[in-house]
Amino acid sequence: MSMEMAAWRSLYAGRGPEGERPRLSRATLRRMAAFARPHRRSLALFLALSVAMAVLAVAGPVLAGRVVDAIVGGAALGVVVRLAVLIAVLAVAEAGLGLLVRWLSSTIGEGLILDLRTAVFDHVQRMPVAFFTRTRTGALVSRLNNDVIGAQRAFSDTLSGVVSNLVAVALTLVVMVGISWQVTLLALLLLPVFVLPARRTGARLARLEREAADHDAAMGAQMTERFSAPGATLVKLFGRPERESAEFAARARRVRDIGVRTAMVQWAFFTALTLVSSLALALVYGLGGAYALRGTLEAGDVVTLALLITRLYAPLTELSSARVEVMSALVSFERVFEVLDLVPLVREAPDAVPAPDGPLSVELEDVRFAYPSAEQVSLASLEDVAQLDARGGGEVLHGVSFRAEPGQLVALVGSSGAGKSTIASLVPRLYDVTGGAVRLGGVDVRHLTAASVREAVGMVTQDGHLFHESIRANLLFARPEAGEAELWDALARARLADLVADLPDGLDTVVGERGYRFSGGERQRLTIARLLLARQRVVILDEATAHLDSTSEAQVQAALDEALGGRTALVIAHRLSTVRAADLILVVEDGRVVERGTHAALLAAGGRYEQLHRTQFAQRAPADAAAAGAAAGAVPAQPASGEASTDRARWA
């Protein structure tokens, strides 16, 4: 490796965080070895070839010196030709080994990236919902990208570099000392002049790059928030574009200034190193030439020393920064292991069984629940806080009990924050209860396989999520094996088939980020179509019609009535008109079921449900009267096809 490459490696190795001195943990080393174990044969071959390349790197200068000696000594032409051919063979061998080493390095490195990424991804998928509500998505993605790549460098770059450089330094010093220990000693005295500037300049560049990274992160956050559909809408409604532009431009100008300073610091650094390397060569040629003129050295030895000095400085410079590289890789591994060490609170039991066949009942018996604390589900580094919030863990459900028989519709009503959605989230086992039990078909959900629970329980939330993919892909997420006819049937039952058929790309139309190319009601109907396609036996609707206008609500309600036929259903609703036909209505307040019964029975009881009903319909009466008065003198509404034409214009 050339001195320039070694300088780059040393320079960038000096950019680690200031003041950080992580200790080498045996436990971390054992876990690193566990990830490396599947690649141990490739690693062994990789290290052996790296050592062979180091030997060839020393052999080349020695043969070059022999050529000079042969020429000066007037050796036969055949000797010179044989030496030249041998040098060529060594060069070809070194190039071939370099290609093979590079292939092995890439194979091992990319294999480790694959193993680490899949391990983290699979582990994160098993984490409870509480983990995602606290974690910054960007920080989590960084663990999958930056830290994983930093960890793989421990094997693909650092390990091979340390081994090959140690061999190269040892062989080079043995050869140089054997030729002239005096020249070798004086040449080594210049090494600190070569290494120290790299360390100091690296620290200075680290400060500049950290500041630039902070500004880049701020600009990235600003762009991510402002360029999303809801963020852009908010800026247009309430923001000040001139101020936003000025803030962004100020950060961009600072990044530009830092880039200029960084370029100048690097130029000064490499100019100084070029000078140092030239001085080292001048020393070897001057002192070695003097010894050659005195007859104590051969001319070829001087050439060998001059070539070897460059081969000596490069590995020594890299070894001087090897500790920083090792520690940086260790930190990356530890940051990855931090995520892997988070214990999923919801785990499948070893003896889990599938959910029973046929219609399923839903039963909650004396359920008590407290949301997990931050230390149970998160990391301070993933939340971008100095320490985790110590609050939390207080009980939010207190002895909730009820049973929904197969095919029954049970409604949950009550004030906002009373615990209705929390109850609903326990049925598909998004969380585990802290007391009592939740049963499907008479079996505790903690004793059922996760796959069978997913197949049995479906849920439509108040703000149904859509991926930035096609309509087809979003539907198939519920049932990948569904055919074309089944997709259109689900859309028809959700009252969306006509709209999708009129779109230019039909089912292959991309819905946009979070489905924002649809209206709120259309997004919700698409999530309902996804539920209908899944054909789950227990359905949970958490304010599923909250975003719909009266016409759309009636259409979707009809579709839901058809879809819920024969299925057990839990419906959370604030509009009491949507749950009048429920078999059982539960009134939830402060984490307790305070009333239960049918619509008529609860109204007759004159309790909390009757208060909610009276308040809600008293508020709606004036609004209905005003709407009726306005309609009397209004221009007749456009037919339903008018809405479709507006939709087609939006998607064109």
Side-chain angles (χ1 to χ4, degrees), residues 261-537:
R261 289 182 61 189
T262 300
M264 294 308 298
V265 169
Q266 290 175 345
W267 180 86
F269 170 72
F270 282 105
T271 300
L273 289 186
T274 301
L275 177 61
V276 171
S277 62
S278 299
L279 292 175
L281 285 174
L283 175 64
V284 170
Y285 283 127
L287 187 58
Y291 283 132
L293 291 174
R294 293 178 183 176
T296 56
L297 275 180
E298 299 292 336
D301 292 336
V302 177
V303 172
T304 298
L305 287 171
L307 294 174
L308 286 176
I309 195 66
T310 60
R311 307 286 178 116
L312 179 65
Y313 275 21
L316 280 176
T317 302
E318 285 203 36
L319 287 174
S320 71
S321 59
R323 181 181 179 277
V324 177
E325 293 183 9
V326 169
M327 291 304 172
S328 296
L330 182 65
V331 168
S332 294
F333 264 109
E334 288 179 339
R335 284 168 58 84
V336 171
F337 292 153
E338 267 188 334
V339 177
L340 293 177
D341 287 340
L342 285 171
V343 179
L345 297 183
V346 178
R347 298 189 294 275
E348 186 174 291
D351 56 349
V353 298
D357 295 329
L360 294 174
S361 62
V362 175
E363 180 183 5
L364 274 71
E365 180 183 359
D366 193 27
V367 166
R368 300 179 181 276
F369 176 73
Y371 281 100
S373 61
E375 64 181 9
Q376 291 178 287
V377 296
S378 186
L379 297 168
S381 57
L382 290 178
E383 295 188 26
D384 197 20
V385 295
Q387 61 182 21
L388 290 171
D389 188 354
R391 297 173 297 173
E395 192 172 89
V396 296
L397 294 181
H398 318 286
V400 174
S401 297
F402 69 87
R403 178 180 174 87
E405 298 295 343
Q408 276 193 335
L409 190 155
V410 175
L412 302 176
V413 301
S415 305
S416 296
K420 303 183 296 298
S421 295
T422 301
I423 293 172
S425 68
L426 298 177
V427 177
R429 209 186 170 198
L430 299 181
Y431 298 93
D432 272 343
V433 298
T434 52
V438 177
R439 299 187 180 93
L440 286 176
V443 182
D444 194 317
V445 292
R446 290 169 292 190
H447 299 153
L448 297 175
T449 62
S452 68
V453 172
R454 284 194 298 270
E455 291 173 359
V457 182
M459 191 171 187
V460 175
T461 59
Q462 184 172 353
D463 185 19
H465 186 81
L466 296 175
F467 294 114
H468 186 67
E469 296 178 10
S470 67
I471 296 173
R472 183 192 307 276
N474 275 282
L475 291 175
L476 290 177
F477 190 76
R479 197 155 64 89
E481 71 278 7
E484 192 88 359
E486 293 173 299
L487 298 180
W488 284 108
D489 177 64
L491 290 170
R493 293 160 67 191
R495 306 304 192 265
L496 268 181
D498 291 341
L499 170 65
V500 175
D502 286 339
L503 297 178
D505 296 320
L507 284 171
D508 295 318
T509 303
V510 176
V511 302
E513 182 182 3
R514 299 182 65 185
Y516 271 103
R517 294 183 70 187
F518 279 114
S519 69
E522 291 164 351
R523 283 200 304 273
Q524 198 70 331
R525 278 186 278 167
L526 185 52
T527 62
I528 292 172
R530 185 167 58 195
L531 173 73
L532 296 172
L533 187 67
R535 299 176 181 173
Q536 286 140 323
R537 291 171 283 163

